[in-house]
Every structure is written in structure tokens, then in C-alpha cells.
Amino acid sequence: MDYKNRTRIARIILSDEIALNTDVIILGLVRTVRVGKEVAFVEVNDGSCLKNIQGVVGEPDKFPVLSEILTGASVRIKGKLIESQGGGQKYEIAVEELDLIGPADATYPLQKKRHSYEFLREIAHLRPRTNTFGALNRIRSKLAYAVHQFYQEKGFYYIHTPIVTTSDCEGAGGLFRVSTIDHENPPISDGKIDWTEDFFGTESFLAVSGQLEGELLATALGDIYTFGPTFRAENSNTSRHASEFWMIEPEMAWAELDDNMDLAEEFLKYLFRYALEKCEEEMSFFGQWIDKEVRQTLASVADSQFERLTYTEAIKILESSSEKFEFPVSWGVDLQSEHERYLTEKKFKKPVIVYDYPEEIKSFYMKLNDDGKTVRAMDVLVPRVGEIIGGSQREHRLDVLENRMKEKGITNIEEYQWYLDIRKYGTVPHSGFGLGFERAIMYITGMTNIRDVIPFPRVPKWAKF
Ligand code: 4AD
Ligand code: MG
């Protein structure tokens, strides 16, 4: 077959590279079919862009196959590219050949009507064929490219950190175990499971972050970034938490918290501009169907300064607001999503970077401030989504780090010897952060549930497909 000679619809409609009267072959899935006496229309989408192209069949009688072509079928159309006779589109195809490649019947779940997101999650194998999920998957790909472009142009090296680890970076306990031990009959020694018998000879888990290894590479290479899947077994069934999500983690040697905040702000603005300038078709779709204001918001945020304030200042603002919070506010508590939303949506109406958090609510690796009570942590909060970035300047002083690890109750410090070694030999001040890729996509597209910005979401009690 001549499949490889096909023309992608995006080249016709978006880049306008195909001249009128050119013979083209279109391969795609049928969105709608209308068969009349004089003329029939077969509208096809091939996934290269949002728009469909319409095949116009001049003498339907000569194409008996038309009666077998239903929504959802795959077809091959050959014909001339002509100016569209009807309104609404610029081009159509005057069909000369029409082949049904793979039929679909009336049970095809994606008939032409709007479906709820809940329903579409149940058919995540088919939802990429819808307008919304087509646009989402395309913008996800483009933004992934933008991430690499941003860091590569700045001279950061892309590194790959392990997915199987034996350490818990965030210390939050939300780890998925990796094991080949027979659950029903585990090896026991001294009344406990003997992990030395397990595949790796020790307890091992899926990584919650690539940061610890990222730090090792940064102190050797300078500036690095990771971009990979991370796993968290938190039992939080919210619209912002996934058990498997993608994270971008830059790590810079010779950088302090201010440099880190600058990089985070520059990075986010780059992604927002990239979406507006390089993903026009998708963004106009989201602007029309998902969130009318999303483009305007991104444009204004890309041109304004993020608000920066300390945790202590944030607490004062929350305490003196007249808002009724479900979780009461006082110095020392972790910010809940209602607090984050108040700061970003009501108080500042833009992204906010909160820094210098209490030492007790943050991880062991963050640099202790001279006050002994706060650490050089920073979170970037945005309206609607809340925390989108978490990061910090790292504790590079060996003695202070060892003390903090003990205080945090880390009993197996000897297993972090490799992490401590970079402080023991030629320690370097360094900083980094993690951006949740899905949360960034939620903010950029206006989508409100994380299950709808990753093709196959994994959340508590759901790992289908
Ligand atoms: O704030 P977190 O836990 O920070 C870290 O993992 C650090 N090790 C990063 C670093 O400094 N290199 O996670 C970073 C970001 C969050 O701000 C959020 O955007 C996202 O990762 N994130 C999640 N996204 C989806 N589902 C979850 N369950 C997430 N947990 C965190
Ligand atoms: Mg965080």
C-alpha cells in the first residue's frame, strides 16, 4: 500500500504547504459520515492536528462502501485537494478512491456528542481520539520538548536517575516497594522478612524523586536536570495527586536560594510563552472549551513578576485575613491547599513563591538558616493548581546535615554515605527544585483534574490500561 505517501492533515490545514489540485492520500479515523443522493461527506481526523478534513464524494452511488463506513472506522482516501465549497473550512478532498481499512460499528463509544470526563476515564484507551485528549497529548509532547530546549540552551545536562532506589528522598513514607519475594511464603529470619533474600539483596522502592542522585551529578557536571517518572504511594485521592507522575528536577552547583527562585520563575514563564506561541491550535481550543481566560492569564503572568515572600510573612497574611479556613493557621503548620489558594487567587492574584519554611515540616536535605528554625526551602504556588514547584538550597555542610538527619529520625545514616561523601569531599553550595509536569499542564491548559492530563493516570485503586 501507499501508506507512506500519505499527507498529514496538519500539513494541509495548519502549515498550508500543499497546493490546490495536488493529489493527496489521507489516512485516518472517521469522525462523521453524511450520505445524500447527490453527494456524501466523510470527515476524517488523523491525529496530526485538531481539525478534520472532509472528503467529498461526488457520486455516492459509485461508492457502495459508504454504507459500511461509520464513525470510528479507519479509512484511506485518495483525491484532489480543492477549495471547500461550503463554509467553515478552507480545503476539502474531492474523493477518487475510498477504502474502508478497519470498520467500526454502532457500539463505538465516541459518537458525536460531548462526553463527561468521568466517562472518558473509563475508556482511556479510546479517549486520545477525542478533540480534548488529542489536544492534550499534543501539547504534552510539545511542552516536553520545550523543557529540554530550555535546559539544553542554558547548558544544563540531561541526566537519568534510577527508578529503583533504596533511599527515601522526601522522607514522607509514600514508597512503592519493588520486590520479587514470594508474598505467600517470604523468607523469614528472626521473625522478620529477610530482605537480603530479595532481588536486590536489600529493601528497594520506586523513586519518589531523582534529586539525591541529581545532586551527585550536579556537583560533578555543574548544572543538570532530570525529567522522568516518579512514584508516590500517598493515599491522597485529590484532583492534583497522581501515584505516577513526571517530574523535571534541575540541580545547580554553585547556586543559592535566590538563584533557584530565579530559575524557577524563568522556567515557568518560558513554558507559558512556549504554549502561547508554539501551541496555538491547542491553546485556542483550551481557550474556547476549557477555560476562557487561560491564554490571557498565561500572557499576563509571563510578563509580570512572581510575588516572593517568606513563610513567616505568608502566615501573617493568612492570620490577618478574614477568611474562614478549614485548617487553622499558625506559625509552624504546613500550608494547606486552601491557604495556597487564598494567597495566589485572592491576595496576590498571581504566582507566589513562599520561602524559608519551618525546619520541622520540610525534608532533611534543606539548608538550615542561621535562625536554626527555618530552612532555605521554596514552593511556587499558582492559582487553581496550588503548589507546582517544590525546591530548596541544599545543606552542603557535612556536620549540619548529619545532625539534621539524626534529628529527623533517619536511623540508617550509613546507607546515605554516598550522599554525605559529596559534602565530605569538596562540598559545593547547590540548589534545585522539582516541577510536577502534570501540574504545569493543568495550569497551562485550564484542565482541573490530574487524571485528565496524563494519558493513563495511576491513582489509588486505579491502574487500568
Ligand atoms: O515538593 P516535592 O515533593 O519535591 C521533591 O520531590 C523534591 N525532591 C524536588 C527537588 O527539589 N528536586 O515535589 C515536587 C513537585 C511538586 O511541587 C508538585 O508539582 C509535584 O512535584 N508533585 C506531584 N504531582 C502530581 N502528583 C503527586 N502526587 C505529586 N507530588 C508532588
Ligand atoms: Mg512539595
Side-chain angles (χ1 to χ4, degrees):
M1 268 311 228
D2 46 10
Y3 295 152
K4 66 175 183 301
N5 296 331
R6 62 132 161 217
T7 301
R8 300 281 274 172
I9 295 171
R11 291 186 56 213
I12 300 175
I13 295 179
L14 290 189
S15 28
D16 213 349
E17 331 170 7
I18 313 293
L20 282 171
N21 293 317
T22 308
D23 276 323
V24 292
I25 295 165
I26 304 291
L27 305 171
L29 299 176
V30 172
R31 286 294 179 86
T32 55
V33 195
R34 284 171 293 144
V35 184
K37 276 230 152 352
E38 322 267 272
V39 63
F41 300 98
V42 182
E43 219 181 301
V44 174
N45 186 283
D46 72 358
S48 61
C49 62
L50 181 72
K51 295 236 164 61
N52 307 324
I53 200 149
Q54 171 164 286
V56 185
V57 183
E59 292 173 287
D61 292 349
K62 294 195 177 149
F63 293 84
V65 71
L66 272 168
S67 65
E68 293 164 50
I69 296 178
L70 301 180
T71 298
S74 60
V75 293
R76 170 184 172 279
I77 291 178
K78 189 171 182 190
K80 268 198 186 4
L81 186 70
I82 57 170
E83 221 165 315
S84 178
Q85 315 295 303
Q89 64 270 325
K90 192 163 167 197
Y91 297 112
E92 56 196 21
I93 314 284
V95 176
E96 287 153 19
E97 293 170 23
L98 176 60
D99 301 306
L100 174 59
I101 309 295
D105 63 21
T107 64
Y108 184 59
L110 297 172
Q111 300 298 331
K112 201 170 173 143
K113 63 165 188 166
R114 286 198 88 176
H115 300 283
S116 71
Y117 291 124
E118 288 76 13
F119 170 70
L120 290 171
R121 279 174 218 146
E122 305 277 334
I123 54 162
H125 57 305
L126 294 172
R127 71 177 182 171
R129 302 175 177 202
T130 63
N131 285 342
T132 306
F133 290 90
L136 269 165
N137 286 310
R138 281 188 293 274
I139 205 167
R140 214 183 137 99
S141 165
K142 292 177 187 184
L143 291 173
Y145 184 74
V147 166
H148 286 293
Q149 195 159 296
F150 176 79
Y151 286 108
Q152 295 284 336
E153 282 175 1
K154 285 182 129 3
F156 283 56
Y157 292 106
Y158 177 38
I159 58 145
H160 301 109
T161 50
I163 287 177
V164 176
T165 63
T166 54
S167 53
D168 177 5
C169 172
E170 290 309 303
L175 298 168
F176 285 105
R177 186 179 290 288
V178 175
S179 170
T180 54
I181 280 183
D182 179 359
H183 282 214
E184 320 238 294
N185 187 20
I188 302 286
S189 151
D190 290 339
K192 285 201 241 149
I193 294 182
D194 181 6
W195 295 108
T196 62
E197 292 286 311
D198 203 355
F199 189 89
F200 294 109
T202 172
E203 282 188 279
S204 50
F205 309 93
L206 294 177
V208 297
S209 160
Q211 178 196 320
L212 301 188
E213 291 85 357
E215 287 183 48
L216 314 181
L217 273 288
T219 56
L221 301 183
D223 298 333
I224 61 93
Y225 68 106
T226 72
F227 186 0
T230 44
F231 305 86
R232 299 203 182 174
E234 315 154 287
N235 212 349
S236 32
N237 225 328
T238 78
S239 57
R240 309 178 308 135
H241 288 86
S243 316
E244 176 178 312
F245 63 97
W246 286 66
M247 186 152 60
I248 298 119
E249 295 184 274
E251 191 73 34
M252 301 176 285
W254 307 107
E256 304 186 295
L257 192 66
D258 282 337
D259 308 304
N260 210 22
M261 293 197 262
D262 289 346
L263 182 74
E265 182 164 344
E266 188 189 343
F267 177 37
L268 286 174
K269 288 176 172 176
Y270 182 90
L271 294 182
F272 301 161
R273 284 200 196 95
Y274 193 95
L276 292 169
E277 289 162 17
K278 303 274 171 52
C279 312
E280 248 187 288
E281 194 196 36
E282 290 82 19
M283 288 310 298
S284 76
F285 176 83
F286 296 122
Q288 186 177 353
W289 297 100
I290 308 297
D291 177 352
K292 298 251 174 306
E293 279 159 25
V294 74
R295 279 174 295 177
Q296 222 179 313
T297 308
L298 291 181
S300 82
V301 164
D303 283 336
S304 66
Q305 293 267 304
F306 291 9
E307 192 68 34
R308 297 185 188 189
L309 71 163
T310 63
Y311 167 90
T312 303
E313 287 162 342
I315 291 294
K316 280 194 193 126
I317 290 171
L318 292 166
E319 279 176 333
S320 61
S321 84
S322 52
E323 201 77 6
K324 292 252 174 308
F325 294 118
E326 188 190 335
F327 295 90
V329 181
S330 62
W331 200 95
V333 303
D334 209 353
L335 296 184
Q336 300 294 326
S337 98
E338 56 175 344
H339 309 136
E340 298 173 350
R341 296 188 70 148
Y342 176 80
L343 293 172
T344 56
E345 291 170 15
K346 296 203 172 146
K347 175 75 186 172
F348 296 109
K349 299 189 166 59
K350 62 176 174 178
V352 174
I353 309 183
V354 179
Y355 62 95
D356 284 351
Y357 280 81
E359 167 286 307
E360 273 129 60
I361 57 172
K362 290 291 184 187
S363 293
F364 69 87
Y365 53 71
M366 298 184 179
K367 182 166 190 264
L368 193 64
N369 277 313
D370 292 343
D371 63 13
K373 291 191 322 199
T374 59
V375 285
R376 303 246 78 191
M378 61 150 201
D379 278 359
V380 182
L381 316 175
V382 295
R384 272 197 345 259
V385 177
E387 181 195 329
I388 193 168
I389 279 180
S392 63
Q393 180 169 346
R394 318 307 187 189
E395 184 54 76
H396 71 287
R397 298 163 296 183
L398 181 62
D399 52 337
V400 183
L401 180 59
E402 280 176 336
N403 273 337
R404 274 205 85 217
M405 290 174 82
K406 282 184 205 138
E407 277 168 25
K408 291 262 169 202
I410 298 177
T411 48
N412 55 343
I413 290 187
E414 61 296 341
E415 282 171 38
Y416 289 84
Q417 197 51 56
W418 49 275
Y419 186 67
L420 296 170
D421 263 1
I422 60 166
R423 277 82 177 168
K424 185 172 166 193
Y425 306 115
T427 194
V428 170
H430 60 287
S431 300
F433 62 80
L435 168 69
F437 191 48
E438 285 71 25
R439 295 212 182 150
I441 296 175
M442 288 170 73
Y443 184 67
I444 289 171
T445 60
M447 295 292 285
T448 54
N449 196 311
I450 198 163
R451 292 165 182 77
D452 299 327
V453 296
I454 184 165
F456 302 103
R458 269 80 182 95
V459 293
K461 302 279 182 284
W462 188 263
K464 201 172 160 184
F465 307 105

